[in-house]
Amino acid sequence: MRFTTPVIGPAAGAAVLLIAAAAAGLAGCSSTSSSSSAAGGSSSSAASGSALTVADVAPFSGPDAALGPTYLASCYGATSAINSAGGVLGHQLNCKSVDTRGDPADAVPAVNQMFASTPSLALVIGCTSDEAASVAPIINSHKMAMFCMTGQSEFDSVHFPYFYRLVPPDLEESYAMVAIAQQLGYKRIALAFGNDIGSQTFIQPAIASLAKAGMVLTTNQTLDLKATTFRTEAEAIIQSHPDAIMTEALGAADPTLFSEIKQLNNGKMIPIIGTSAAISPPFFKSAAAAVGATTFTSNFHADNLVVESNGPAFQAFSSALLAQQGKVPGATGNFTTYLSAPGGVHLYDGINLAALAMIMSKSTSPSVYSADIIKIGDGVPGATVCYSFAGCAASLKAGKSIRYEGPGGPTNFDSFHDSTGIFQVDTYSPSGQVNVVGNLTAAELRALSG
Protein backbone atom coordinates (compact mmCIF):
# COMPACT_ATOMS: atom_id res chain seq x y z
CA MET A 1 0.00 0.00 0.00
CA ARG A 2 1.26 3.45 -0.87
CA PHE A 3 0.40 6.25 1.50
CA THR A 4 1.55 9.10 -0.73
CA THR A 5 2.92 9.49 -4.21
CA PRO A 6 5.41 12.37 -4.13
CA VAL A 7 6.15 14.15 -7.39
CA ILE A 8 9.64 15.42 -7.99
CA GLY A 9 10.12 18.87 -9.43
CA PRO A 10 11.21 19.64 -12.99
CA ALA A 11 14.85 20.09 -12.03
CA ALA A 12 14.99 16.79 -10.18
CA GLY A 13 13.17 15.02 -12.99
CA ALA A 14 15.60 16.43 -15.52
CA ALA A 15 18.49 15.25 -13.38
CA VAL A 16 17.16 11.71 -13.35
CA LEU A 17 16.70 11.77 -17.11
CA LEU A 18 20.25 13.06 -17.55
CA ILE A 19 21.51 10.23 -15.36
CA ALA A 20 19.61 7.75 -17.49
CA ALA A 21 21.03 9.22 -20.67
CA ALA A 22 24.56 9.14 -19.28
CA ALA A 23 24.06 5.57 -18.13
CA ALA A 24 22.90 4.54 -21.58
CA GLY A 25 26.08 6.04 -22.97
CA LEU A 26 28.19 4.13 -20.48
CA ALA A 27 26.38 0.93 -21.31
CA GLY A 28 26.96 1.53 -24.99
CA CYS A 29 30.70 1.79 -24.35
CA SER A 30 30.90 -1.52 -22.50
CA SER A 31 32.19 -4.66 -24.14
CA THR A 32 29.00 -6.60 -23.45
CA SER A 33 27.10 -7.55 -26.57
CA SER A 34 23.49 -6.38 -26.68
CA SER A 35 22.48 -9.81 -27.90
CA SER A 36 23.89 -11.65 -24.89
CA SER A 37 21.90 -12.67 -21.84
CA ALA A 38 24.25 -10.53 -19.71
CA ALA A 39 23.12 -7.39 -21.43
CA GLY A 40 19.56 -8.63 -21.44
CA GLY A 41 19.17 -6.89 -24.76
CA SER A 42 17.23 -9.65 -26.45
CA SER A 43 14.67 -12.28 -25.58
CA SER A 44 17.15 -15.12 -25.92
CA SER A 45 17.44 -17.40 -22.89
CA ALA A 46 20.60 -18.74 -21.31
CA ALA A 47 22.20 -21.83 -22.80
CA SER A 48 20.49 -25.04 -21.73
CA GLY A 49 21.84 -26.40 -18.47
CA SER A 50 24.03 -23.39 -17.68
CA ALA A 51 23.93 -21.75 -14.26
CA LEU A 52 22.13 -18.41 -13.85
CA THR A 53 23.53 -15.65 -11.66
CA VAL A 54 21.70 -13.39 -9.23
CA ALA A 55 23.92 -10.38 -8.52
CA ASP A 56 23.80 -8.68 -5.11
CA VAL A 57 24.69 -5.06 -5.95
CA ALA A 58 25.25 -3.43 -2.56
CA PRO A 59 27.92 -2.20 -0.12
CA PHE A 60 30.17 -4.98 1.16
CA SER A 61 32.77 -2.50 2.43
CA GLY A 62 32.60 1.03 3.83
CA PRO A 63 30.23 2.33 6.52
CA ASP A 64 27.20 0.50 5.08
CA ALA A 65 29.04 -2.81 4.67
CA ALA A 66 26.42 -4.73 6.66
CA LEU A 67 23.85 -4.31 3.87
CA GLY A 68 25.56 -6.54 1.31
CA PRO A 69 25.71 -9.67 3.51
CA THR A 70 22.11 -9.13 4.64
CA TYR A 71 20.93 -9.29 1.03
CA LEU A 72 23.35 -12.12 0.24
CA ALA A 73 21.74 -14.22 2.96
CA SER A 74 18.41 -13.79 1.15
CA CYS A 75 20.03 -14.78 -2.12
CA TYR A 76 21.63 -17.90 -0.66
CA GLY A 77 18.35 -18.93 0.95
CA ALA A 78 16.14 -18.33 -2.07
CA THR A 79 18.45 -19.85 -4.69
CA SER A 80 19.18 -22.90 -2.53
CA ALA A 81 15.44 -23.59 -2.22
CA ILE A 82 14.92 -23.01 -5.94
CA ASN A 83 17.77 -25.36 -6.84
CA SER A 84 16.44 -28.02 -4.46
CA ALA A 85 13.09 -27.80 -6.26
CA GLY A 86 14.70 -28.48 -9.64
CA GLY A 87 15.90 -25.01 -10.60
CA VAL A 88 14.45 -22.88 -13.39
CA LEU A 89 13.92 -24.29 -16.89
CA GLY A 90 16.84 -26.68 -16.43
CA HIS A 91 19.12 -24.07 -14.84
CA GLN A 92 20.54 -23.87 -11.33
CA LEU A 93 20.95 -20.42 -9.73
CA ASN A 94 23.92 -18.96 -7.91
CA CYS A 95 24.71 -15.67 -6.17
CA LYS A 96 27.39 -13.09 -6.89
CA SER A 97 28.53 -10.16 -4.72
CA VAL A 98 29.09 -6.79 -6.42
CA ASP A 99 30.60 -4.34 -3.94
CA THR A 100 29.48 -0.73 -4.53
CA ARG A 101 31.24 0.46 -1.34
CA GLY A 102 28.15 2.60 -0.79
CA ASP A 103 29.52 5.24 -3.15
CA PRO A 104 28.16 6.12 -6.62
CA ALA A 105 31.70 6.78 -7.87
CA ASP A 106 32.64 3.17 -7.07
CA ALA A 107 29.25 1.68 -7.92
CA VAL A 108 29.15 2.71 -11.58
CA PRO A 109 32.38 0.92 -12.65
CA ALA A 110 31.50 -2.05 -10.45
CA VAL A 111 28.15 -2.46 -12.21
CA ASN A 112 29.66 -1.99 -15.66
CA GLN A 113 32.24 -4.66 -14.82
CA MET A 114 29.45 -6.92 -13.58
CA PHE A 115 27.78 -6.82 -16.99
CA ALA A 116 31.06 -7.30 -18.84
CA SER A 117 32.07 -10.34 -16.77
CA THR A 118 28.77 -12.13 -16.05
CA PRO A 119 27.26 -13.66 -19.21
CA SER A 120 24.85 -15.72 -17.11
CA LEU A 121 23.34 -12.73 -15.28
CA ALA A 122 19.58 -13.17 -14.85
CA LEU A 123 18.60 -10.80 -12.01
CA VAL A 124 19.99 -7.97 -9.87
CA ILE A 125 19.05 -7.45 -6.22
CA GLY A 126 20.16 -4.87 -3.67
CA CYS A 127 20.89 -1.48 -5.27
CA THR A 128 20.53 0.57 -2.09
CA SER A 129 19.87 4.28 -1.63
CA ASP A 130 23.64 4.81 -1.58
CA GLU A 131 23.99 4.05 -5.28
CA ALA A 132 20.61 3.31 -6.87
CA ALA A 133 20.22 6.71 -8.55
CA SER A 134 23.47 6.14 -10.43
CA VAL A 135 23.25 2.40 -11.19
CA ALA A 136 19.53 1.72 -11.71
CA PRO A 137 19.54 3.59 -15.07
CA ILE A 138 22.55 1.52 -16.16
CA ILE A 139 20.91 -1.75 -15.13
CA ASN A 140 17.68 -0.68 -16.83
CA SER A 141 19.53 0.19 -20.05
CA HIS A 142 20.79 -3.40 -20.14
CA LYS A 143 17.17 -4.58 -19.87
CA MET A 144 18.02 -6.38 -16.65
CA ALA A 145 15.35 -6.93 -14.00
CA MET A 146 16.22 -5.56 -10.55
CA PHE A 147 14.68 -5.60 -7.09
CA CYS A 148 16.16 -2.60 -5.31
CA MET A 149 16.28 -1.66 -1.63
CA THR A 150 16.29 2.09 -2.20
CA GLY A 151 13.81 4.49 -0.67
CA GLN A 152 14.79 7.46 -2.83
CA SER A 153 11.80 9.48 -3.96
CA GLU A 154 12.80 9.81 -7.63
CA PHE A 155 11.76 6.20 -8.12
CA ASP A 156 8.24 7.11 -6.97
CA SER A 157 7.51 9.04 -10.15
CA VAL A 158 10.12 8.17 -12.82
CA HIS A 159 9.41 4.91 -14.58
CA PHE A 160 12.22 2.42 -15.18
CA PRO A 161 10.65 -0.63 -16.87
CA TYR A 162 13.01 -3.15 -15.24
CA PHE A 163 12.95 -1.63 -11.73
CA TYR A 164 10.90 -3.26 -8.94
CA ARG A 165 10.63 -2.27 -5.29
CA LEU A 166 9.02 -4.12 -2.39
CA VAL A 167 10.06 -1.57 0.26
CA PRO A 168 8.64 1.91 0.90
CA PRO A 169 10.08 5.29 -0.05
CA ASP A 170 12.17 6.86 2.71
CA LEU A 171 9.63 9.61 3.29
CA GLU A 172 7.06 7.01 4.38
CA GLU A 173 9.58 5.57 6.80
CA SER A 174 10.16 9.08 8.17
CA TYR A 175 6.42 9.31 8.83
CA ALA A 176 6.56 5.92 10.54
CA MET A 177 9.30 7.09 12.91
CA VAL A 178 7.25 10.14 13.87
CA ALA A 179 4.19 7.93 14.38
CA ILE A 180 6.22 5.78 16.80
CA ALA A 181 7.20 8.94 18.70
CA GLN A 182 3.52 9.86 18.90
CA GLN A 183 2.58 6.43 20.22
CA LEU A 184 5.26 6.69 22.90
CA GLY A 185 4.16 10.18 23.94
CA TYR A 186 7.35 11.99 22.93
CA LYS A 187 7.09 15.73 22.23
CA ARG A 188 10.69 16.86 21.68
CA ILE A 189 12.76 15.10 19.01
CA ALA A 190 16.41 15.37 17.99
CA LEU A 191 17.57 14.15 14.56
CA ALA A 192 20.94 12.44 14.02
CA PHE A 193 21.44 11.04 10.52
CA GLY A 194 24.53 9.92 8.66
CA ASN A 195 26.00 11.98 5.85
CA ASP A 196 25.49 9.18 3.30
CA ILE A 197 22.91 9.58 0.53
CA GLY A 198 20.53 6.97 1.92
CA SER A 199 20.36 8.43 5.43
CA GLN A 200 20.08 12.05 4.33
CA THR A 201 16.86 11.36 2.43
CA PHE A 202 14.99 10.87 5.72
CA ILE A 203 15.66 14.34 7.11
CA GLN A 204 13.37 16.74 5.24
CA PRO A 205 10.31 14.45 5.36
CA ALA A 206 10.97 13.93 9.08
CA ILE A 207 11.18 17.68 9.74
CA ALA A 208 7.92 18.30 7.86
CA SER A 209 6.21 15.41 9.62
CA LEU A 210 7.34 16.56 13.08
CA ALA A 211 5.91 20.02 12.36
CA LYS A 212 2.61 18.52 11.23
CA ALA A 213 2.48 16.43 14.41
CA GLY A 214 3.06 19.51 16.55
CA MET A 215 6.36 18.19 17.91
CA VAL A 216 9.47 20.24 18.61
CA LEU A 217 12.63 19.61 16.58
CA THR A 218 15.33 20.24 19.18
CA THR A 219 18.40 19.82 16.95
CA ASN A 220 19.41 18.30 13.62
CA GLN A 221 22.87 16.72 13.67
CA THR A 222 24.66 15.22 10.66
CA LEU A 223 27.09 12.41 11.48
CA ASP A 224 30.18 11.95 9.32
CA LEU A 225 30.34 8.19 8.84
CA LYS A 226 34.14 8.36 8.55
CA ALA A 227 34.53 10.07 11.94
CA THR A 228 35.62 8.16 15.05
CA THR A 229 34.01 10.41 17.65
CA PHE A 230 30.77 12.38 17.90
CA ARG A 231 31.26 14.23 21.20
CA THR A 232 30.28 17.58 19.68
CA GLU A 233 27.08 16.15 18.21
CA ALA A 234 26.35 14.21 21.41
CA GLU A 235 26.75 17.37 23.53
CA ALA A 236 24.45 19.32 21.19
CA ILE A 237 21.80 16.62 21.42
CA ILE A 238 21.99 16.42 25.21
CA GLN A 239 21.86 20.23 25.58
CA SER A 240 18.73 20.36 23.37
CA HIS A 241 16.87 18.18 25.92
CA PRO A 242 15.01 15.83 23.56
CA ASP A 243 12.59 13.14 24.65
CA ALA A 244 14.00 10.88 21.93
CA ILE A 245 16.45 10.76 19.02
CA MET A 246 15.40 9.71 15.53
CA THR A 247 18.42 8.31 13.73
CA GLU A 248 20.02 6.32 10.96
CA ALA A 249 23.81 6.32 10.80
CA LEU A 250 25.16 2.96 9.74
CA GLY A 251 28.46 1.29 10.48
CA ALA A 252 30.06 2.36 13.76
CA ALA A 253 28.54 5.85 13.77
CA ASP A 254 25.30 5.29 15.70
CA PRO A 255 26.82 2.96 18.33
CA THR A 256 29.64 5.47 18.89
CA LEU A 257 27.11 8.29 19.27
CA PHE A 258 25.07 6.22 21.74
CA SER A 259 28.16 5.51 23.82
CA GLU A 260 29.19 9.15 23.97
CA ILE A 261 25.68 10.32 24.84
CA LYS A 262 25.63 7.84 27.73
CA GLN A 263 29.05 9.03 28.92
CA LEU A 264 28.16 12.72 28.73
CA ASN A 265 24.64 12.29 30.13
CA ASN A 266 25.57 10.88 33.54
CA GLY A 267 25.27 7.29 32.40
CA LYS A 268 21.75 7.69 31.00
CA MET A 269 20.64 6.88 27.47
CA ILE A 270 18.18 9.04 25.55
CA PRO A 271 15.50 6.86 23.88
CA ILE A 272 16.24 5.97 20.26
CA ILE A 273 13.86 5.57 17.32
CA GLY A 274 15.64 3.93 14.40
CA THR A 275 14.81 3.13 10.81
CA SER A 276 14.32 -0.41 9.56
CA ALA A 277 18.05 -0.52 8.72
CA ALA A 278 18.66 -0.90 12.47
CA ILE A 279 16.99 -4.31 12.35
CA SER A 280 20.15 -6.22 11.52
CA PRO A 281 22.52 -8.47 13.48
CA PRO A 282 25.61 -6.22 13.05
CA PHE A 283 23.73 -3.13 14.25
CA PHE A 284 22.42 -4.86 17.35
CA LYS A 285 25.82 -6.35 18.15
CA SER A 286 27.58 -2.98 17.87
CA ALA A 287 24.92 -0.97 19.75
CA ALA A 288 24.68 -3.52 22.57
CA ALA A 289 28.46 -3.54 22.93
CA ALA A 290 28.56 0.26 23.02
CA VAL A 291 26.09 0.87 25.86
CA GLY A 292 25.18 -2.58 27.19
CA ALA A 293 22.49 -4.88 25.82
CA THR A 294 19.94 -4.13 28.55
CA THR A 295 20.45 -0.37 28.35
CA PHE A 296 20.20 -0.37 24.57
CA THR A 297 17.13 -2.59 24.30
CA SER A 298 15.20 -0.73 27.01
CA ASN A 299 15.63 2.52 25.08
CA PHE A 300 15.14 1.42 21.47
CA HIS A 301 12.30 1.19 18.94
CA ALA A 302 12.40 0.97 15.14
CA ASP A 303 9.93 0.91 12.32
CA ASN A 304 9.89 -2.06 9.98
CA LEU A 305 7.62 -3.38 7.26
CA VAL A 306 5.04 -5.84 8.45
CA VAL A 307 6.19 -9.36 7.61
CA GLU A 308 4.60 -12.72 8.25
CA SER A 309 5.94 -14.61 11.27
CA ASN A 310 3.97 -17.83 10.82
CA GLY A 311 2.08 -19.74 8.17
CA PRO A 312 3.28 -21.60 5.06
CA ALA A 313 5.14 -18.67 3.45
CA PHE A 314 7.13 -17.95 6.61
CA GLN A 315 7.82 -21.64 7.17
CA ALA A 316 9.32 -21.99 3.69
CA PHE A 317 11.30 -18.76 4.09
CA SER A 318 12.68 -19.52 7.55
CA SER A 319 13.65 -23.05 6.55
CA ALA A 320 15.48 -21.80 3.45
CA LEU A 321 17.22 -18.90 5.20
CA LEU A 322 18.26 -20.59 8.44
CA ALA A 323 19.79 -23.45 6.45
CA GLN A 324 22.36 -20.92 5.25
CA GLN A 325 23.68 -20.09 8.73
CA GLY A 326 27.46 -20.24 8.71
CA LYS A 327 27.59 -20.23 4.89
CA VAL A 328 27.09 -16.54 4.01
CA PRO A 329 30.30 -14.51 3.72
CA GLY A 330 30.23 -11.46 5.98
CA ALA A 331 27.08 -12.45 7.90
CA THR A 332 27.61 -11.91 11.63
CA GLY A 333 25.62 -11.76 14.86
CA ASN A 334 22.27 -13.41 15.60
CA PHE A 335 21.41 -15.03 12.26
CA THR A 336 17.69 -15.22 13.13
CA THR A 337 17.55 -11.43 12.85
CA TYR A 338 17.75 -11.86 9.07
CA LEU A 339 14.21 -13.25 9.25
CA SER A 340 13.03 -9.71 10.06
CA ALA A 341 15.72 -7.60 8.40
CA PRO A 342 14.70 -5.40 5.45
CA GLY A 343 15.95 -7.25 2.43
CA GLY A 344 15.92 -10.56 4.25
CA VAL A 345 12.25 -10.95 3.46
CA HIS A 346 11.69 -8.73 0.45
CA LEU A 347 14.62 -9.80 -1.71
CA TYR A 348 13.78 -13.44 -1.01
CA ASP A 349 10.33 -12.66 -2.39
CA GLY A 350 11.82 -10.77 -5.34
CA ILE A 351 14.04 -13.70 -6.33
CA ASN A 352 11.09 -16.08 -6.15
CA LEU A 353 8.90 -13.73 -8.21
CA ALA A 354 11.58 -13.48 -10.90
CA ALA A 355 12.25 -17.24 -10.98
CA LEU A 356 8.55 -18.03 -11.26
CA ALA A 357 8.16 -15.41 -14.01
CA MET A 358 10.91 -17.22 -15.93
CA ILE A 359 8.92 -20.43 -15.75
CA MET A 360 5.69 -18.68 -16.70
CA SER A 361 7.29 -16.96 -19.72
CA LYS A 362 9.48 -19.97 -20.59
CA SER A 363 12.48 -17.64 -20.80
CA THR A 364 15.40 -16.64 -18.56
CA SER A 365 15.85 -13.34 -20.39
CA PRO A 366 14.60 -10.35 -18.34
CA SER A 367 13.33 -8.65 -21.49
CA VAL A 368 10.87 -11.54 -21.76
CA TYR A 369 10.14 -12.66 -18.20
CA SER A 370 10.05 -9.22 -16.52
CA ALA A 371 6.49 -8.51 -17.64
CA ASP A 372 5.29 -11.64 -15.81
CA ILE A 373 6.68 -10.57 -12.41
CA ILE A 374 3.61 -8.46 -11.70
CA LYS A 375 1.27 -11.17 -13.03
CA ILE A 376 2.84 -13.69 -10.64
CA GLY A 377 2.74 -11.29 -7.69
CA ASP A 378 -0.65 -9.64 -8.11
CA GLY A 379 -2.36 -12.64 -9.66
CA VAL A 380 -5.57 -12.74 -11.64
CA PRO A 381 -9.14 -13.63 -10.55
CA GLY A 382 -9.28 -17.31 -9.73
CA ALA A 383 -5.51 -17.69 -9.40
CA THR A 384 -4.16 -20.37 -7.08
CA VAL A 385 -2.43 -18.76 -4.08
CA CYS A 386 0.91 -20.42 -3.36
CA TYR A 387 3.57 -19.70 -0.77
CA SER A 388 6.92 -21.10 -1.95
CA PHE A 389 8.86 -21.50 -5.16
CA ALA A 390 8.37 -25.28 -5.11
CA GLY A 391 4.60 -25.08 -4.65
CA CYS A 392 4.14 -22.27 -7.15
CA ALA A 393 6.36 -23.91 -9.77
CA ALA A 394 4.35 -27.13 -9.49
CA SER A 395 1.11 -25.22 -10.06
CA LEU A 396 2.53 -23.40 -13.07
CA LYS A 397 3.73 -26.66 -14.59
CA ALA A 398 0.22 -28.03 -14.07
CA GLY A 399 -1.14 -25.19 -16.19
CA LYS A 400 -2.66 -23.18 -13.35
CA SER A 401 -2.66 -19.40 -12.89
CA ILE A 402 -0.94 -18.51 -9.63
CA ARG A 403 -0.52 -15.70 -7.15
CA TYR A 404 2.71 -15.93 -5.16
CA GLU A 405 2.40 -14.74 -1.56
CA GLY A 406 5.71 -14.81 0.27
CA PRO A 407 6.69 -13.82 3.82
CA GLY A 408 6.49 -10.15 2.79
CA GLY A 409 2.77 -10.61 2.16
CA PRO A 410 0.78 -10.17 -1.07
CA THR A 411 2.02 -7.64 -3.60
CA ASN A 412 0.09 -4.76 -5.10
CA PHE A 413 2.30 -3.19 -7.76
CA ASP A 414 1.61 0.33 -9.00
CA SER A 415 2.58 1.79 -12.37
CA PHE A 416 6.12 2.47 -11.11
CA HIS A 417 6.53 -1.18 -10.03
CA ASP A 418 6.31 -0.26 -6.33
CA SER A 419 4.55 -2.59 -3.92
CA THR A 420 4.88 -1.59 -0.27
CA GLY A 421 3.04 -2.69 2.82
CA ILE A 422 2.26 -1.16 6.20
CA PHE A 423 4.65 -0.81 9.11
CA GLN A 424 5.19 -2.56 12.39
CA VAL A 425 7.10 -1.40 15.48
CA ASP A 426 10.09 -3.54 16.46
CA THR A 427 12.27 -3.80 19.55
CA TYR A 428 15.06 -6.16 20.59
CA SER A 429 15.41 -8.51 23.51
CA PRO A 430 18.80 -8.39 25.30
CA SER A 431 19.81 -11.52 23.36
CA GLY A 432 19.21 -9.79 20.01
CA GLN A 433 15.85 -11.38 19.22
CA VAL A 434 13.53 -9.06 17.27
CA ASN A 435 10.16 -8.48 18.93
CA VAL A 436 7.10 -6.95 17.25
CA VAL A 437 5.39 -4.64 19.77
CA GLY A 438 2.88 -2.78 17.61
CA ASN A 439 1.65 -1.73 14.19
CA LEU A 440 1.20 1.57 12.37
CA THR A 441 -1.95 2.04 10.34
CA ALA A 442 -2.21 3.68 6.95
CA ALA A 443 -4.36 6.39 8.53
CA GLU A 444 -1.65 7.23 11.08
CA LEU A 445 0.92 7.70 8.35
CA ARG A 446 -1.37 9.69 6.09
CA ALA A 447 -2.00 12.10 8.96
CA LEU A 448 1.74 12.80 9.15
CA SER A 449 2.47 13.13 5.43
CA GLY A 450 3.66 16.46 4.10
Side-chain angles (χ1 to χ4, degrees), residues 317-359:
F317 167 58
S318 60
S319 176
L321 190 68
L322 294 180
Q324 305 309 309
Q325 187 166 356
K327 302 177 184 179
V328 183
T332 62
N334 187 336
F335 199 81
T336 63
T337 304
Y338 290 124
L339 294 173
S340 303
V345 172
H346 304 99
L347 294 181
Y348 167 89
D349 281 346
I351 294 168
N352 280 338
L353 284 167
L356 292 167
M358 293 179 201
I359 293 174

Side-chain angles (χ1 to χ4, degrees), residues 11-307:
V16 172
L17 293 176
L18 284 172
I19 290 172
L26 284 170
C29 294
S30 77
S31 60
T32 305
S33 168
S34 62
S35 63
S36 71
S37 60
S42 76
S43 60
S44 60
S45 296
S48 178
S50 62
L52 303 176
T53 298
V54 179
D56 177 4
V57 175
F60 285 84
S61 58
D64 293 349
L67 298 177
T70 298
Y71 307 158
L72 197 61
S74 300
C75 190
Y76 273 44
T79 57
S80 177
I82 290 168
N83 292 340
S84 295
V88 175
L89 302 176
H91 304 276
Q92 297 281 285
L93 275 66
N94 57 38
C95 304
K96 176 177 182 174
S97 304
V98 179
D99 187 6
T100 67
R101 302 181 183 178
D103 188 331
D106 294 312
V108 169
V111 166
N112 283 328
Q113 176 60 27
M114 171 190 72
F115 280 108
S117 62
T118 318
S120 60
L121 187 62
L123 177 68
V124 168
I125 62 169
C127 33
T128 73
S129 294
D130 288 336
E131 68 281 318
S134 61
V135 303
I138 298 173
I139 298 168
N140 190 76
S141 72
H142 281 271
K143 299 182 180 179
M144 177 56 59
M146 62 187 122
F147 280 88
C148 289
M149 290 296 296
T150 176
Q152 289 169 289
S153 61
E154 56 257 50
F155 296 105
D156 303 350
S157 53
V158 177
H159 181 60
F160 292 98
Y162 293 90
F163 174 91
Y164 296 86
R165 180 166 61 175
L166 300 176
V167 293
D170 288 340
L171 58 84
E172 291 185 5
E173 199 164 354
S174 295
Y175 306 153
M177 297 172 78
V178 175
I180 292 173
Q182 280 187 321
Q183 288 187 354
L184 295 173
Y186 299 142
K187 303 294 185 182
R188 297 173 57 82
I189 306 295
L191 302 185
F193 286 86
N195 63 348
D196 57 306
I197 295 171
S199 298
Q200 285 290 300
T201 58
F202 292 102
I203 295 175
Q204 290 307 315
I207 291 173
S209 186
L210 287 170
K212 192 160 187 179
M215 297 181 185
V216 175
L217 173 62
T218 65
T219 186
N220 178 15
Q221 298 294 317
T222 297
L223 307 182
D224 183 351
L225 299 187
K226 296 181 181 179
T228 57
T229 180
F230 300 102
R231 289 185 68 85
T232 299
E233 293 85 354
E235 288 174 346
I237 290 170
I238 293 168
Q239 292 303 315
S240 73
H241 303 292
D243 298 327
I245 304 165
M246 289 171 46
T247 185
E248 178 184 283
L250 301 183
D254 257 343
T256 301
L257 176 69
F258 302 161
S259 176
E260 291 177 339
I261 286 175
K262 183 181 177 184
Q263 292 170 18
L264 296 170
N265 198 38
N266 299 316
K268 297 180 180 180
M269 271 296 295
I270 297 171
I272 300 296
I273 301 174
T275 69
S276 57
I279 306 302
S280 76
F283 180 84
F284 172 81
K285 183 178 180 180
S286 297
V291 298
T294 300
T295 298
F296 171 63
T297 56
S298 63
N299 289 281
F300 178 81
H301 291 78
D303 68 76
N304 201 0
L305 279 179
V306 170
V307 298

Side-chain angles (χ1 to χ4, degrees), residues 1 3 172 175-184 301-310 407-408 421-427 434-446 448:
M1 180 184 299
F3 306 109
E172 291 185 5
Y175 306 153
M177 297 172 78
V178 175
I180 292 173
Q182 280 187 321
Q183 288 187 354
L184 295 173
H301 291 78
D303 68 76
N304 201 0
L305 279 179
V306 170
V307 298
E308 296 180 7
S309 57
N310 52 51
I422 58 176
F423 290 93
Q424 65 190 29
V425 184
D426 286 354
T427 62
V434 178
N435 299 316
V436 180
V437 297
N439 289 289
L440 303 172
T441 67
E444 286 178 292
L445 271 70
R446 286 194 193 100
L448 294 169

Side-chain angles (χ1 to χ4, degrees), residues 363-395:
S363 175
T364 60
S365 173
S367 63
V368 178
Y369 80 70
S370 181
D372 287 331
I373 288 174
I374 294 174
K375 297 176 186 176
I376 293 289
D378 291 359
V380 296
T384 298
V385 179
C386 48
Y387 305 97
S388 67
F389 172 82
C392 292
S395 293

